[in-house]
Amino acid sequence: MTKQFKLGASIGVTAVVLASAPYASASAGQAPRERVITHVETVTPFDFTAGEAPENIALNPDRSVTLSMLGAPAGKRPELVRIAPSGHRTVLAVGQRGDQITGNTRGSDGTVYYNVASDNASQAGVWKPKP
């Protein structure tokens, strides 16, 4: 695990703790207003060592999902992946090693757009897969 990833994970955990602290202290002793989810199910497992570090998820009309896979924290190339309800995976786009695909969305016409974070100015920006 790189120092950069450890730092990012530490910052993320700290932010979650700090953000939840006021709510937790304000609601101590009170019953939750909404139902608390206690049982969850893993729909699709990921292998971090294979570069599968999902960052963003977009739901599609056909019940599939499109995921942005960072890649860089595991030293792999980032990918934009569609996962069908059956679990079948289709790689829609692959980025350059060291870059990260940091988000994706679907336009009203069905076009998928994804963001590439890169030190290379010619790679950084919003992209769409070519048909």
Side-chain angles (χ1 to χ4, degrees):
M1 203 179 281
T2 67
K3 288 181 183 179
Q4 180 182 8
F5 183 75
K6 287 181 185 176
L7 176 62
S10 297
I11 291 170
V13 170
T14 301
V16 168
V17 170
L18 291 175
S20 63
Y23 178 78
S25 63
S27 66
Q30 296 178 6
R33 293 183 208 169
E34 295 183 28
R35 184 174 162 196
V36 176
I37 298 172
T38 58
H39 297 84
V40 296
E41 175 185 343
T42 300
V43 176
T44 301
F46 297 104
D47 181 358
F48 177 79
T49 61
E52 296 178 339
E55 188 279 334
N56 182 267
I57 185 169
L59 303 175
N60 300 313
D62 65 357
R63 297 184 29 224
S64 68
V65 295
T66 302
L67 294 171
S68 306
M69 299 286 195
L70 292 175
K76 307 292 182 176
R77 294 171 67 170
E79 295 181 333
L80 185 66
V81 179
R82 171 173 281 147
I83 302 177
S86 67
H88 176 77
R89 296 180 185 198
T90 303
V91 176
L92 303 175
V94 178
Q96 298 298 316
R97 190 177 302 269
D99 291 352
Q100 296 184 70
I101 297 178
T102 59
N104 74 87
T105 191
R106 174 177 295 284
S108 60
D109 65 352
T111 301
V112 174
Y113 297 92
Y114 61 98
N115 185 58
V116 174
S118 177
D119 291 336
N120 180 340
S122 68
Q123 291 293 111
V126 177
W127 292 71
K128 64 180 180 177
K130 291 184 179 179

